Amino acid sequence: ADELFRQLVDRPGAGVREFNEYALFLAKSEVPQVRQPARALEYALRASRATKDASPVVLDTLAWAYFVNGERAKAAETSRKALA
C-alpha cells in the first residue's frame, strides 16, 4: 500500500486528495512498521497549504499528524480550527 501511495503522490498532477490520504495512512496505520509520523506531517502540511487551511477534512488530518508527532498543542489548535 505504501508503494502505491508513493506513486500517487509523486505523479504529476497529484494534489490535496492524494497528499491527505497518504498522510492519514502514514499517521494512523495500525501496523507499527508502516507508521511514519514525520512523513505524515510533511504530506498533511502540503495538503493544508494547497487548501490555504480552508478544508476541515485536511485540517483534521493535519491535527492527527501533529498528534502522532507529539505536538499536542498544535494538534488541539488545528482540531479547533477544523471544527470552526
Side-chain angles (χ1 to χ4, degrees), residues 4 7-8 16 25 28 31 38-41 45 48 50 54 56 58 60 62 64 68 70-71 74-75 78-79 81:
L4 288 174
Q7 289 175 12
L8 284 173
V16 173
F25 172 75
K28 296 175 88 174
V31 179
R39 288 193 74 199
L41 183 56
L45 284 167
S48 186
V58 171
D60 182 62
L62 180 57
W64 268 106
V68 298
E71 298 185 48
K74 283 186 177 181
T78 305
S79 287
K81 193 173 183 179

Side-chain angles (χ1 to χ4, degrees), residues 18-55:
E18 292 85 3
F19 299 151
N20 192 65
E21 291 296 321
Y22 191 40
L24 273 176
F25 172 75
L26 294 170
K28 296 175 88 174
S29 177
E30 293 185 22
V31 179
Q33 298 89 331
V34 172
R35 258 182 266 129
Q36 296 180 45
R39 288 193 74 199
L41 183 56
E42 173 190 340
Y43 281 97
L45 284 167
R46 286 177 74 175
S48 186
R49 281 191 290 265
T51 64
K52 298 182 177 151
D53 295 332
S55 169

